[in-house]
Amino acid sequence: MKPADTKIAFIGLGLMGVPMAHNLLKAGYHLKGFDLNSQVAEKFSSIAGFELVSSPAKAIEGSDVTILMLPDSAIIDAMLWGSNGQPGIASQFKSGSYLLDMSSSSPISSRENNQKLSAMGIHFVDAPVSGGVKKAIDGSLAIIVGGQKSDFEVCLPLLEKMGKSIVYVGTAGAAHAVKALNNYVSAAGLIAASEALNAAEKFGLDPHVVNTVFNASTGRNNTTENKVENFMLNEAFNSGFSLALMRKDLQIALGLIEGMNCYSSLAKQCVATARAADEQLGKGADHTAMYGFVKAQS
Ligand code: NAD
């Protein structure tokens, strides 16, 4: 997939999609982009090779690769297969082209989409990312990949423009499963750190000092290392990953754990806590505002 002979459609130009698309443009790829929010065009004004189009169908016209960076599987499934009497775009993909779903989607939906798309001669690859907006900007995302191994190998040069650690984990849907489980572990760490720091403060301790101790001890996790000082104790709550998306990821992970008939006590509790926080804090809240939610409960 060399920049000169690969036409890309990029659908979903939000907090993550914009910097990922920027890195592909910087590498020399030409992109046709689409997002429901038409203001995204301004974010590409200084970069050559980008064309904002007015529908997903126009974006995929003639494209060798379509990249999806959308909120969830309900939106993706409606776009592919249609909804409310509107047809989907799946039948319009160029034969032999690649669909890379880089969103954090449901592994069950991804397996189904893979089955239907392969029957139509389209290569489906699930390639969700981890690392957040900062790593999306500097092109150092962790990318987890599922699908046919040969499709992974074809897509690797393109993925390398957006990420550093790129790991193939298995057949279609496998990467979305790993991503949801990773985000469950991460969210459990966020909720635990929020509750622990709040209790420490109530006990009369300085939460900055407590977090320093966590980071030198076994309580250390991604939240204590990267979020507590930067987004939580200062109440900035602006990491760039929404609480609504974290709630969605937890729901996917719980569905998977329960679907495998596995013990799910903590996953259930995490879903309940994320739901309560999301409902109380409302649309637009960042996931790090979990700390504010926890503080407000006591
Ligand atoms: P976002 O909400 O900032 O962006 C999503 C974009 O999709 C928005 O611009 C929205 O307008 C657009 N959109 C929604 N429905 C659409 C439709 N039907 N057609 C076209 N565009 C549509 O979300 P984000 O933070 O960029 O996350 C995107 C995906 O990446 C999600 O699945 C998320 O879980 C995952 N993710 C996010 C982060 C992060 O730190 N933000 C990290 C890893 C993975």
Side-chain angles (χ1 to χ4, degrees), residues 14-16 34-36 69-71 79 104 129 132 240-241 248:
L15 288 166
M16 294 293 285
F34 173 71
D35 192 287
L36 281 185
M69 197 56 182
L70 291 161
M79 184 175 287
S104 303
V129 306
F241 178 51
K248 174 234 7 181

